[in-house]
Amino acid sequence: MTDSAPIYDDKAHVRGKLDLRNAQWKRPPEPEPEDGHVEIAFIEHTDGATYVAMRNSKQLEPVLTFTMAEWDAFVLGAKDGEFDEPW
Protein backbone atom coordinates (compact mmCIF):
# COMPACT_ATOMS: atom_id res chain seq x y z
CA MET A 1 0.00 0.00 0.00
CA THR A 2 1.32 3.44 -0.88
CA ASP A 3 0.98 6.61 1.09
CA SER A 4 -1.08 9.26 -0.60
CA ALA A 5 -1.89 12.86 0.10
CA PRO A 6 -5.03 13.50 2.11
CA ILE A 7 -8.09 14.37 0.07
CA TYR A 8 -9.42 17.88 0.65
CA ASP A 9 -13.04 18.22 -0.39
CA ASP A 10 -13.89 21.91 -0.53
CA LYS A 11 -17.39 21.22 -1.88
CA ALA A 12 -18.62 18.65 0.65
CA HIS A 13 -20.96 21.21 2.19
CA VAL A 14 -22.67 21.92 -1.17
CA ARG A 15 -22.52 18.59 -3.00
CA GLY A 16 -26.09 17.44 -3.53
CA LYS A 17 -27.42 20.58 -1.82
CA LEU A 18 -27.27 23.17 -4.59
CA ASP A 19 -30.70 24.50 -5.46
CA LEU A 20 -30.99 23.78 -9.18
CA ARG A 21 -34.73 24.48 -9.50
CA ASN A 22 -34.23 27.92 -11.05
CA ALA A 23 -30.96 27.14 -12.82
CA GLN A 24 -30.58 28.75 -16.23
CA TRP A 25 -28.81 26.00 -18.12
CA LYS A 26 -26.61 27.12 -21.01
CA ARG A 27 -25.86 24.88 -23.97
CA PRO A 28 -24.39 25.17 -27.47
CA PRO A 29 -26.72 26.67 -30.08
CA GLU A 30 -26.41 23.73 -32.48
CA PRO A 31 -29.22 21.17 -32.82
CA GLU A 32 -29.09 18.64 -30.02
CA PRO A 33 -27.21 15.46 -30.92
CA GLU A 34 -28.69 12.07 -30.11
CA ASP A 35 -26.55 11.69 -26.98
CA GLY A 36 -27.24 15.24 -25.74
CA HIS A 37 -25.37 18.45 -25.10
CA VAL A 38 -23.24 19.42 -22.14
CA GLU A 39 -25.13 22.07 -20.17
CA ILE A 40 -23.73 24.39 -17.51
CA ALA A 41 -25.33 26.71 -14.98
CA PHE A 42 -23.81 29.20 -12.57
CA ILE A 43 -25.43 28.66 -9.17
CA GLU A 44 -25.15 30.98 -6.18
CA HIS A 45 -25.08 29.11 -2.88
CA THR A 46 -26.02 30.29 0.58
CA ASP A 47 -22.31 30.24 1.51
CA GLY A 48 -21.88 33.29 -0.77
CA ALA A 49 -19.89 31.47 -3.44
CA THR A 50 -20.92 30.77 -7.02
CA TYR A 51 -20.51 27.20 -8.28
CA VAL A 52 -20.70 25.79 -11.79
CA ALA A 53 -23.05 22.87 -12.29
CA MET A 54 -22.58 20.68 -15.36
CA ARG A 55 -24.81 17.92 -16.74
CA ASN A 56 -25.85 16.12 -19.92
CA SER A 57 -29.09 17.47 -21.42
CA LYS A 58 -30.36 13.92 -22.06
CA GLN A 59 -29.28 12.49 -18.71
CA LEU A 60 -30.04 15.11 -16.05
CA GLU A 61 -28.16 13.31 -13.30
CA PRO A 62 -25.48 13.20 -12.10
CA VAL A 63 -24.70 16.91 -11.91
CA LEU A 64 -21.02 17.70 -11.57
CA THR A 65 -20.13 20.63 -9.32
CA PHE A 66 -17.10 22.89 -9.77
CA THR A 67 -15.75 25.81 -7.76
CA MET A 68 -14.94 28.79 -9.95
CA ALA A 69 -11.20 28.01 -9.67
CA GLU A 70 -11.83 24.40 -10.73
CA TRP A 71 -14.01 25.58 -13.62
CA ASP A 72 -11.33 28.00 -14.83
CA ALA A 73 -8.72 25.21 -14.69
CA PHE A 74 -11.07 22.82 -16.55
CA VAL A 75 -11.75 25.36 -19.33
CA LEU A 76 -8.04 26.16 -19.71
CA GLY A 77 -7.24 22.42 -19.89
CA ALA A 78 -9.94 21.87 -22.53
CA LYS A 79 -8.65 24.76 -24.62
CA ASP A 80 -5.12 23.37 -24.32
CA GLY A 81 -6.23 19.91 -25.54
CA GLU A 82 -5.69 18.20 -22.18
CA PHE A 83 -8.84 16.11 -22.65
CA ASP A 84 -8.46 15.29 -26.34
CA GLU A 85 -8.63 11.65 -27.38
CA PRO A 86 -5.21 10.16 -28.13
CA TRP A 87 -4.65 9.37 -31.80
Side-chain angles (χ1 to χ4, degrees):
M1 185 165 154
T2 62
D3 292 331
S4 62
I7 296 173
Y8 176 70
D9 186 358
D10 60 347
K11 296 183 300 289
H13 68 288
V14 298
R15 188 171 290 106
K17 298 175 185 158
L18 285 177
D19 185 357
L20 302 174
R21 290 176 293 185
N22 295 318
Q24 295 184 11
W25 294 97
K26 300 174 188 298
R27 65 166 71 180
E30 302 91 34
E32 187 161 18
E34 188 176 312
D35 55 353
H37 278 300
V38 171
E39 297 180 317
I40 63 165
F42 295 90
I43 309 294
E44 290 185 34
H45 187 54
T46 57
D47 66 2
T50 298
Y51 296 88
V52 180
M54 183 168 73
R55 69 181 186 184
N56 181 303
S57 62
K58 295 281 189 181
Q59 197 173 346
L60 303 182
E61 290 187 6
V63 174
L64 302 178
T65 304
F66 297 87
T67 64
M68 291 307 295
E70 289 170 335
W71 182 251
D72 290 342
F74 173 76
V75 170
L76 286 173
K79 287 180 179 179
D80 195 35
E82 186 176 332
F83 309 111
D84 289 354
E85 298 267 344
W87 295 100

Coordinates of all heavy atoms in Angstrom, one line a residue:
M1 N 0.8 -1.2 0.0 CA 0.0 0.0 0.0 C 0.9 1.2 0.0 O 1.9 1.3 0.7 CB -0.9 0.0 1.2 CG -1.9 1.1 1.3 SD -3.1 0.6 2.5 CE -3.6 2.2 3.0
T2 N 0.5 2.2 -0.8 CA 1.3 3.4 -0.9 C 0.7 4.5 -0.1 O -0.6 4.6 0.1 CB 1.5 3.9 -2.3 OG1 0.2 4.2 -2.9 CG2 2.2 2.8 -3.2
D3 N 1.5 5.4 0.4 CA 1.0 6.6 1.1 C 0.5 7.6 0.0 O 1.1 7.7 -1.0 CB 2.1 7.3 1.9 CG 2.5 6.4 3.1 OD1 1.6 5.6 3.6 OD2 3.6 6.5 3.6
S4 N -0.6 8.3 0.3 CA -1.1 9.3 -0.6 C -1.4 10.5 0.2 O -1.6 10.5 1.4 CB -2.3 8.7 -1.4 OG -3.3 8.5 -0.5
A5 N -1.5 11.6 -0.5 CA -1.9 12.9 0.1 C -3.3 12.8 0.6 O -4.2 12.1 -0.1 CB -1.7 14.0 -0.9
P6 N -3.6 13.5 1.7 CA -5.0 13.5 2.1 C -5.9 14.2 1.1 O -5.5 15.1 0.4 CB -5.0 14.3 3.4 CG -3.7 15.0 3.4 CD -2.8 14.3 2.5
I7 N -7.1 13.8 1.0 CA -8.1 14.4 0.1 C -8.8 15.5 0.8 O -9.3 15.4 1.9 CB -9.1 13.3 -0.4 CG1 -8.4 12.2 -1.2 CG2 -10.2 14.0 -1.2 CD1 -9.3 11.1 -1.5
Y8 N -8.7 16.7 0.1 CA -9.4 17.9 0.6 C -10.6 18.1 -0.2 O -10.5 18.4 -1.4 CB -8.5 19.1 0.6 CG -9.2 20.4 1.1 CD1 -9.5 20.5 2.4 CD2 -9.5 21.4 0.2 CE1 -10.2 21.7 2.8 CE2 -10.1 22.5 0.6 CZ -10.5 22.7 1.9 OH -11.1 23.8 2.3
D9 N -11.8 18.0 0.4 CA -13.0 18.2 -0.4 C -13.7 19.6 0.0 O -14.3 19.7 1.0 CB -14.0 17.1 -0.1 CG -15.3 17.1 -0.9 OD1 -15.4 18.0 -1.7 OD2 -16.1 16.2 -0.8
D10 N -13.4 20.6 -0.8 CA -13.9 21.9 -0.5 C -15.3 22.1 -1.0 O -15.9 23.2 -0.8 CB -13.0 23.0 -1.1 CG -12.9 22.9 -2.6 OD1 -13.3 21.9 -3.2 OD2 -12.3 23.8 -3.2
K11 N -16.0 21.1 -1.5 CA -17.4 21.2 -1.9 C -18.3 20.3 -1.1 O -19.5 20.2 -1.4 CB -17.5 21.0 -3.4 CG -16.8 22.0 -4.2 CD -17.0 21.7 -5.7 CE -16.6 20.4 -6.2 NZ -15.2 20.1 -6.3
A12 N -17.8 19.6 -0.1 CA -18.6 18.7 0.6 C -19.9 19.3 1.2 O -20.9 18.7 1.2 CB -17.8 18.0 1.8
H13 N -19.8 20.5 1.6 CA -21.0 21.2 2.2 C -22.0 21.6 1.1 O -23.1 22.0 1.5 CB -20.5 22.4 3.0 CG -20.0 23.5 2.2 ND1 -18.7 23.5 1.5 CD2 -20.5 24.7 1.8 CE1 -18.5 24.6 0.9 NE2 -19.6 25.4 1.0
V14 N -21.7 21.6 -0.1 CA -22.7 21.9 -1.2 C -23.1 20.8 -2.1 O -24.1 20.8 -2.7 CB -22.2 23.1 -2.1 CG1 -22.0 24.3 -1.3 CG2 -21.0 22.7 -2.9
R15 N -22.2 19.7 -2.1 CA -22.5 18.6 -3.0 C -23.9 18.0 -2.7 O -24.2 17.6 -1.6 CB -21.4 17.5 -2.9 CG -21.6 16.4 -3.9 CD -20.4 15.5 -4.0 NE -19.3 16.2 -4.5 CZ -18.2 16.6 -3.8 NH1 -18.2 16.3 -2.5 NH2 -17.2 17.2 -4.3
G16 N -24.7 18.0 -3.7 CA -26.1 17.4 -3.5 C -27.0 18.4 -2.9 O -28.2 18.1 -2.7
K17 N -26.6 19.6 -2.5 CA -27.4 20.6 -1.8 C -27.6 21.9 -2.6 O -28.2 22.8 -2.1 CB -26.8 20.9 -0.4 CG -26.8 19.7 0.4 CD -26.1 20.0 1.7 CE -25.9 18.7 2.5 NZ -24.9 18.7 3.5
L18 N -27.0 22.0 -3.8 CA -27.3 23.2 -4.6 C -28.7 23.2 -5.1 O -29.2 22.2 -5.5 CB -26.3 23.2 -5.8 CG -24.9 23.6 -5.5 CD1 -24.1 23.5 -6.8 CD2 -24.7 24.9 -4.9
D19 N -29.3 24.3 -5.0 CA -30.7 24.5 -5.5 C -30.7 24.7 -7.0 O -30.4 25.8 -7.4 CB -31.4 25.7 -4.7 CG -32.8 25.8 -5.1 OD1 -33.4 25.0 -5.9 OD2 -33.5 26.7 -4.5
L20 N -31.0 23.7 -7.7 CA -31.0 23.8 -9.2 C -32.4 24.1 -9.8 O -32.5 24.1 -11.0 CB -30.4 22.5 -9.7 CG -29.0 22.1 -9.3 CD1 -28.7 20.7 -9.8 CD2 -28.0 23.1 -9.7
R21 N -33.4 24.3 -9.0 CA -34.7 24.5 -9.5 C -34.8 25.6 -10.5 O -35.6 25.6 -11.4 CB -35.7 24.6 -8.4 CG -35.9 23.4 -7.6 CD -36.8 23.6 -6.4 NE -36.1 24.5 -5.5 CZ -36.6 24.8 -4.3 NH1 -37.8 24.4 -3.9 NH2 -35.9 25.6 -3.5
N22 N -34.1 26.7 -10.2 CA -34.2 27.9 -11.1 C -33.0 28.1 -11.9 O -32.7 29.2 -12.4 CB -34.5 29.2 -10.2 CG -35.8 29.1 -9.5 OD1 -36.8 28.7 -10.1 ND2 -35.9 29.5 -8.3
A23 N -32.2 27.1 -12.0 CA -31.0 27.1 -12.8 C -31.3 27.5 -14.3 O -32.2 27.0 -14.8 CB -30.2 25.8 -12.8
Q24 N -30.5 28.4 -14.8 CA -30.6 28.8 -16.2 C -29.5 28.0 -17.0 O -28.3 28.5 -17.0 CB -30.5 30.3 -16.4 CG -31.7 31.0 -15.7 CD -31.6 32.5 -16.0 OE1 -30.9 33.0 -16.8 NE2 -32.5 33.2 -15.3
W25 N -29.8 26.9 -17.5 CA -28.8 26.0 -18.1 C -28.4 26.6 -19.5 O -29.3 26.9 -20.3 CB -29.4 24.6 -18.3 CG -29.6 23.9 -16.9 CD1 -30.7 23.8 -16.2 CD2 -28.6 23.3 -16.1 NE1 -30.5 23.2 -15.1 CE2 -29.2 22.8 -15.0 CE3 -27.2 23.0 -16.3 CZ2 -28.5 22.1 -14.0 CZ3 -26.5 22.4 -15.3 CH2 -27.2 21.9 -14.1
K26 N -27.1 26.6 -19.7 CA -26.6 27.1 -21.0 C -26.1 25.9 -21.8 O -25.5 25.0 -21.2 CB -25.5 28.1 -20.8 CG -25.9 29.3 -20.0 CD -24.7 30.2 -19.6 CE -25.0 31.3 -18.7 NZ -26.0 32.3 -19.1
R27 N -26.3 26.0 -23.1 CA -25.9 24.9 -24.0 C -25.5 25.5 -25.3 O -25.8 26.6 -25.6 CB -26.9 23.8 -24.1 CG -28.2 24.3 -24.9 CD -29.1 23.3 -25.3 NE -29.8 22.6 -24.3 CZ -30.7 21.7 -24.4 NH1 -30.9 21.2 -25.6 NH2 -31.3 21.1 -23.4
P28 N -24.8 24.7 -26.1 CA -24.4 25.2 -27.5 C -25.6 25.4 -28.3 O -26.7 24.8 -28.1 CB -23.6 24.0 -28.1 CG -23.1 23.2 -26.9 CD -24.2 23.4 -25.8
P29 N -25.6 26.3 -29.3 CA -26.7 26.7 -30.1 C -27.1 25.7 -31.2 O -28.1 25.7 -31.7 CB -26.3 28.0 -30.7 CG -24.8 28.0 -30.8 CD -24.4 27.2 -29.6
E30 N -26.2 24.7 -31.4 CA -26.4 23.7 -32.5 C -27.6 22.8 -32.1 O -27.9 22.7 -31.0 CB -25.2 22.8 -32.7 CG -23.9 23.5 -33.1 CD -23.1 23.9 -31.8 OE1 -23.1 23.2 -30.9 OE2 -22.5 25.0 -31.9
P31 N -28.2 22.2 -33.1 CA -29.2 21.2 -32.8 C -28.7 20.1 -31.9 O -27.5 19.7 -32.0 CB -29.6 20.6 -34.2 CG -29.1 21.6 -35.2 CD -27.9 22.3 -34.6
E32 N -29.5 19.6 -31.0 CA -29.1 18.6 -30.0 C -28.8 17.3 -30.7 O -29.6 16.7 -31.3 CB -30.2 18.5 -29.0 CG -29.7 17.6 -27.8 CD -30.6 17.8 -26.6 OE1 -31.7 18.3 -26.7 OE2 -30.1 17.4 -25.5
P33 N -27.5 16.8 -30.4 CA -27.2 15.5 -30.9 C -28.0 14.4 -30.2 O -28.5 14.6 -29.1 CB -25.7 15.4 -30.7 CG -25.4 16.3 -29.6 CD -26.4 17.4 -29.7
E34 N -28.0 13.2 -30.7 CA -28.7 12.1 -30.1 C -28.3 11.8 -28.7 O -29.1 11.5 -27.8 CB -28.5 10.8 -30.9 CG -29.3 9.6 -30.5 CD -29.1 8.5 -31.4 OE1 -29.1 8.6 -32.7 OE2 -28.9 7.3 -30.9
D35 N -27.0 12.0 -28.4 CA -26.5 11.7 -27.0 C -26.5 12.9 -26.1 O -26.1 12.9 -25.0 CB -25.2 11.0 -27.0 CG -24.1 11.8 -27.7 OD1 -24.5 12.8 -28.4 OD2 -22.9 11.4 -27.7
G36 N -27.1 14.1 -26.6 CA -27.2 15.2 -25.7 C -26.1 16.2 -25.8 O -25.0 15.9 -26.3
H37 N -26.4 17.4 -25.2 CA -25.4 18.5 -25.1 C -24.9 18.5 -23.7 O -25.6 18.1 -22.7 CB -26.0 19.8 -25.3 CG -26.2 20.2 -26.8 ND1 -25.1 20.4 -27.6 CD2 -27.3 20.6 -27.5 CE1 -25.5 20.8 -28.8 NE2 -26.9 20.9 -28.7
V38 N -23.7 19.1 -23.5 CA -23.2 19.4 -22.1 C -23.9 20.8 -21.8 O -23.9 21.7 -22.6 CB -21.7 19.6 -22.1 CG1 -21.3 20.2 -20.8 CG2 -21.0 18.2 -22.3
E39 N -24.5 20.8 -20.6 CA -25.1 22.1 -20.2 C -24.4 22.5 -18.9 O -24.0 21.7 -18.1 CB -26.6 21.8 -19.8 CG -27.5 21.4 -21.0 CD -28.9 21.2 -20.6 OE1 -29.2 20.6 -19.5 OE2 -29.8 21.7 -21.4
I40 N -24.3 23.8 -18.7 CA -23.7 24.4 -17.5 C -24.7 25.5 -17.0 O -25.4 26.1 -17.7 CB -22.3 25.0 -17.7 CG1 -22.3 26.2 -18.7 CG2 -21.3 23.9 -18.2 CD1 -21.1 27.0 -18.6
A41 N -24.6 25.7 -15.7 CA -25.3 26.7 -15.0 C -24.5 27.3 -13.9 O -23.7 26.5 -13.2 CB -26.6 26.2 -14.4
F42 N -24.5 28.6 -13.7 CA -23.8 29.2 -12.6 C -24.8 29.4 -11.4 O -25.9 30.0 -11.6 CB -23.3 30.6 -13.0 CG -22.2 30.4 -14.1 CD1 -22.5 30.4 -15.4 CD2 -20.9 30.2 -13.7 CE1 -21.6 30.3 -16.4 CE2 -19.9 30.1 -14.7 CZ -20.2 30.1 -16.1
I43 N -24.5 28.7 -10.3 CA -25.4 28.7 -9.2 C -24.8 29.4 -8.0 O -23.7 29.0 -7.5 CB -25.7 27.2 -8.8 CG1 -26.1 26.4 -10.0 CG2 -26.7 27.1 -7.7 CD1 -27.4 26.8 -10.6
E44 N -25.6 30.3 -7.4 CA -25.2 31.0 -6.2 C -25.6 30.1 -5.0 O -26.8 29.6 -5.0 CB -25.7 32.4 -6.1 CG -25.1 33.3 -7.1 CD -25.6 34.8 -6.9 OE1 -25.9 35.2 -5.8 OE2 -25.7 35.4 -7.9
H45 N -24.8 29.9 -4.1 CA -25.1 29.1 -2.9 C -25.2 30.0 -1.7 O -24.7 31.1 -1.7 CB -24.0 28.0 -2.7 CG -24.3 27.1 -1.6 ND1 -25.5 26.3 -1.6 CD2 -23.6 26.7 -0.5 CE1 -25.5 25.5 -0.5 NE2 -24.4 25.7 0.1
T46 N -25.8 29.5 -0.6 CA -26.0 30.3 0.6 C -24.7 30.6 1.3 O -24.7 31.5 2.1 CB -27.0 29.6 1.6 OG1 -26.4 28.3 1.8 CG2 -28.4 29.4 1.0
D47 N -23.6 29.9 0.9 CA -22.3 30.2 1.5 C -21.7 31.5 0.9 O -20.6 31.9 1.2 CB -21.4 29.0 1.4 CG -21.0 28.7 0.0 OD1 -21.4 29.3 -1.0 OD2 -20.2 27.7 -0.1
G48 N -22.4 32.1 -0.1 CA -21.9 33.3 -0.8 C -21.0 33.0 -2.0 O -20.7 34.0 -2.7
A49 N -20.7 31.8 -2.3 CA -19.9 31.5 -3.4 C -20.8 31.1 -4.6 O -21.9 30.6 -4.4 CB -18.9 30.3 -3.1
T50 N -20.3 31.2 -5.8 CA -20.9 30.8 -7.0 C -20.2 29.5 -7.5 O -19.0 29.4 -7.5 CB -20.9 31.8 -8.1 OG1 -21.5 33.0 -7.7 CG2 -21.5 31.3 -9.4
Y51 N -21.0 28.5 -7.8 CA -20.5 27.2 -8.3 C -21.0 27.0 -9.7 O -22.0 27.6 -10.1 CB -21.0 26.1 -7.4 CG -20.5 26.2 -6.0 CD1 -21.1 26.9 -5.0 CD2 -19.3 25.6 -5.6 CE1 -20.6 27.0 -3.7 CE2 -18.7 25.7 -4.4 CZ -19.4 26.4 -3.4 OH -18.9 26.6 -2.2
V52 N -20.3 26.2 -10.4 CA -20.7 25.8 -11.8 C -21.2 24.4 -11.7 O -20.5 23.5 -11.3 CB -19.5 25.9 -12.8 CG1 -20.0 25.5 -14.2 CG2 -18.9 27.3 -12.8
A53 N -22.4 24.2 -12.2 CA -23.0 22.9 -12.3 C -23.0 22.4 -13.8 O -23.2 23.3 -14.6 CB -24.5 22.9 -11.8
M54 N -22.7 21.2 -14.0 CA -22.6 20.7 -15.4 C -23.3 19.3 -15.5 O -23.2 18.5 -14.6 CB -21.1 20.5 -15.8 CG -20.9 20.0 -17.2 SD -19.2 20.2 -17.8 CE -18.4 18.8 -16.9
R55 N -24.1 19.2 -16.5 CA -24.8 17.9 -16.7 C -25.0 17.7 -18.2 O -24.6 18.5 -19.1 CB -26.2 18.0 -16.1 CG -27.1 19.0 -16.8 CD -28.5 19.1 -16.2 NE -29.4 19.9 -17.0 CZ -30.6 20.3 -16.6 NH1 -31.1 19.8 -15.5 NH2 -31.3 21.0 -17.4
N56 N -25.5 16.5 -18.5 CA -25.9 16.1 -19.9 C -27.3 16.4 -20.1 O -28.1 16.1 -19.3 CB -25.6 14.6 -20.1 CG -25.9 14.2 -21.5 OD1 -27.0 14.3 -22.0 ND2 -24.9 13.6 -22.2
S57 N -27.7 17.1 -21.2 CA -29.1 17.5 -21.4 C -30.0 16.3 -21.6 O -31.2 16.4 -21.4 CB -29.2 18.4 -22.7 OG -28.8 17.7 -23.8
K58 N -29.5 15.1 -21.9 CA -30.4 13.9 -22.1 C -30.4 13.1 -20.8 O -31.2 12.2 -20.7 CB -29.9 13.1 -23.2 CG -30.0 13.7 -24.6 CD -31.4 13.6 -25.1 CE -31.4 14.1 -26.5 NZ -32.8 14.1 -27.1
Q59 N -29.4 13.3 -19.9 CA -29.3 12.5 -18.7 C -29.1 13.5 -17.6 O -27.9 13.9 -17.3 CB -28.1 11.6 -18.9 CG -28.0 10.5 -17.9 CD -26.8 9.5 -18.3 OE1 -26.3 9.6 -19.4 NE2 -26.5 8.7 -17.4
L60 N -30.1 14.0 -16.9 CA -30.0 15.1 -16.0 C -29.3 14.9 -14.8 O -29.0 15.8 -14.0 CB -31.4 15.6 -15.7 CG -32.3 16.0 -17.0 CD1 -33.6 16.5 -16.6 CD2 -31.5 17.0 -17.9
E61 N -29.0 13.6 -14.5 CA -28.2 13.3 -13.3 C -27.1 12.3 -13.7 O -27.4 11.5 -14.6 CB -29.0 12.7 -12.2 CG -29.9 13.8 -11.5 CD -30.6 13.3 -10.3 OE1 -30.4 12.1 -9.9 OE2 -31.5 14.0 -9.8
P62 N -25.9 12.3 -13.2 CA -25.5 13.2 -12.1 C -25.2 14.6 -12.6 O -24.9 14.8 -13.8 CB -24.2 12.5 -11.6 CG -23.7 11.9 -12.9 CD -24.9 11.4 -13.6
V63 N -25.1 15.5 -11.7 CA -24.7 16.9 -11.9 C -23.3 17.1 -11.3 O -23.2 16.8 -10.1 CB -25.7 17.9 -11.3 CG1 -25.2 19.3 -11.4 CG2 -27.1 17.8 -12.0
L64 N -22.4 17.4 -12.1 CA -21.0 17.7 -11.6 C -21.0 19.1 -11.0 O -21.6 20.0 -11.6 CB -20.0 17.5 -12.7 CG -19.9 16.2 -13.4 CD1 -18.9 16.2 -14.4 CD2 -19.7 15.1 -12.4
T65 N -20.2 19.3 -10.0 CA -20.1 20.6 -9.3 C -18.7 21.1 -9.3 O -17.8 20.3 -8.9 CB -20.7 20.6 -7.9 OG1 -22.0 20.1 -7.9 CG2 -20.7 21.9 -7.3
F66 N -18.4 22.3 -9.7 CA -17.1 22.9 -9.8 C -17.1 24.2 -9.0 O -18.0 25.0 -9.1 CB -16.7 23.2 -11.2 CG -16.6 22.1 -12.1 CD1 -17.7 21.6 -12.8 CD2 -15.4 21.4 -12.4 CE1 -17.6 20.6 -13.7 CE2 -15.3 20.4 -13.3 CZ -16.4 19.9 -13.9
T67 N -16.0 24.5 -8.3 CA -15.7 25.8 -7.8 C -15.3 26.6 -9.0 O -15.0 26.1 -10.0 CB -14.6 25.8 -6.7 OG1 -13.4 25.5 -7.3 CG2 -14.9 24.9 -5.5
M68 N -15.3 27.9 -8.8 CA -14.9 28.8 -9.9 C -13.5 28.5 -10.3 O -13.2 28.5 -11.5 CB -15.2 30.3 -9.6 CG -16.7 30.6 -9.5 SD -17.7 30.2 -11.0 CE -16.9 31.2 -12.2
A69 N -12.6 28.3 -9.4 CA -11.2 28.0 -9.7 C -11.1 26.7 -10.4 O -10.3 26.6 -11.4 CB -10.4 28.0 -8.4
E70 N -11.8 25.7 -10.0 CA -11.8 24.4 -10.7 C -12.4 24.6 -12.1 O -11.8 24.0 -13.1 CB -12.7 23.4 -10.0 CG -12.1 22.9 -8.7 CD -13.0 22.1 -7.9 OE1 -14.3 22.2 -8.0 OE2 -12.5 21.3 -7.1
W71 N -13.4 25.4 -12.3 CA -14.0 25.6 -13.6 C -13.0 26.3 -14.5 O -12.8 25.9 -15.7 CB -15.3 26.4 -13.5 CG -15.9 26.6 -14.9 CD1 -16.0 27.8 -15.5 CD2 -16.5 25.6 -15.7 NE1 -16.6 27.5 -16.8 CE2 -17.0 26.2 -16.8 CE3 -16.8 24.2 -15.5 CZ2 -17.6 25.6 -17.9 CZ3 -17.4 23.6 -16.5 CH2 -17.8 24.2 -17.7
D72 N -12.3 27.3 -14.0 CA -11.3 28.0 -14.8 C -10.2 27.0 -15.3 O -9.8 27.1 -16.4 CB -10.7 29.2 -14.0 CG -11.7 30.3 -13.8 OD1 -12.8 30.4 -14.6 OD2 -11.5 31.1 -12.9
A73 N -9.8 26.2 -14.4 CA -8.7 25.2 -14.7 C -9.2 24.2 -15.7 O -8.5 23.8 -16.7 CB -8.3 24.5 -13.4
F74 N -10.5 23.8 -15.6 CA -11.1 22.8 -16.6 C -11.1 23.5 -17.9 O -10.7 22.8 -18.9 CB -12.5 22.4 -16.1 CG -13.2 21.6 -17.1 CD1 -12.9 20.2 -17.2 CD2 -14.3 22.1 -17.8 CE1 -13.6 19.5 -18.2 CE2 -15.0 21.4 -18.7 CZ -14.7 20.0 -18.9
V75 N -11.6 24.7 -18.0 CA -11.8 25.4 -19.3 C -10.4 25.6 -20.0 O -10.2 25.3 -21.2 CB -12.5 26.7 -19.2 CG1 -12.4 27.5 -20.4 CG2 -14.0 26.4 -18.8
L76 N -9.4 26.0 -19.2 CA -8.0 26.2 -19.7 C -7.5 24.8 -20.2 O -6.9 24.8 -21.3 CB -7.1 26.8 -18.7 CG -7.3 28.2 -18.4 CD1 -6.5 28.7 -17.2 CD2 -7.0 29.1 -19.6
G77 N -7.7 23.7 -19.5 CA -7.2 22.4 -19.9 C -7.9 22.0 -21.2 O -7.3 21.4 -22.1
A78 N -9.2 22.2 -21.3 CA -9.9 21.9 -22.5 C -9.4 22.6 -23.7 O -9.2 22.1 -24.8 CB -11.4 22.1 -22.3
K79 N -9.2 23.9 -23.5 CA -8.6 24.8 -24.6 C -7.2 24.3 -25.0 O -6.9 24.4 -26.2 CB -8.6 26.2 -24.2 CG -10.0 26.9 -24.2 CD -9.9 28.3 -23.8 CE -11.3 29.0 -23.7 NZ -11.2 30.4 -23.3
D80 N -6.5 23.8 -24.1 CA -5.1 23.4 -24.3 C -5.0 21.9 -24.9 O -4.0 21.4 -25.1 CB -4.3 23.5 -23.0 CG -2.8 23.4 -23.2 OD1 -2.3 23.9 -24.3 OD2 -2.1 22.8 -22.4
G81 N -6.2 21.3 -25.0 CA -6.2 19.9 -25.5 C -6.0 18.8 -24.5 O -5.8 17.7 -24.9
E82 N -6.0 19.2 -23.2 CA -5.7 18.2 -22.2 C -6.6 17.0 -22.2 O -6.3 15.9 -21.8 CB -5.8 18.9 -20.8 CG -5.4 18.1 -19.7 CD -5.4 18.9 -18.4 OE1 -5.2 20.1 -18.4 OE2 -5.6 18.3 -17.3
F83 N -7.8 17.2 -22.7 CA -8.8 16.1 -22.6 C -9.1 15.5 -24.0 O -10.0 14.7 -24.2 CB -10.1 16.6 -22.0 CG -9.9 17.3 -20.7 CD1 -10.1 18.7 -20.6 CD2 -9.5 16.6 -19.6 CE1 -9.9 19.4 -19.4 CE2 -9.3 17.3 -18.4 CZ -9.5 18.6 -18.3
D84 N -8.3 15.8 -25.0 CA -8.5 15.3 -26.3 C -8.2 13.8 -26.3 O -7.4 13.3 -25.6 CB -7.5 16.0 -27.3 CG -7.9 17.4 -27.6 OD1 -9.0 17.8 -27.1 OD2 -7.1 18.1 -28.3
E85 N -8.9 13.1 -27.2 CA -8.6 11.7 -27.4 C -7.2 11.4 -28.0 O -6.8 12.2 -28.9 CB -9.7 11.1 -28.3 CG -11.1 11.2 -27.8 CD -11.5 9.9 -27.1 OE1 -10.9 8.9 -27.2 OE2 -12.5 10.0 -26.4
P86 N -6.5 10.4 -27.5 CA -5.2 10.2 -28.1 C -5.4 9.6 -29.5 O -6.4 8.8 -29.7 CB -4.6 9.2 -27.2 CG -5.7 8.6 -26.4 CD -6.8 9.6 -26.4
W87 N -4.5 9.9 -30.4 CA -4.6 9.4 -31.8 C -3.8 8.2 -32.0 O -3.2 7.6 -32.1 CB -4.3 10.5 -32.8 CG -5.2 11.6 -32.8 CD1 -5.1 12.8 -32.1 CD2 -6.6 11.6 -33.3 NE1 -6.2 13.6 -32.2 CE2 -7.1 12.9 -33.0 CE3 -7.3 10.8 -34.1 CZ2 -8.4 13.3 -33.3 CZ3 -8.6 11.2 -34.4 CH2 -9.1 12.4 -34.1

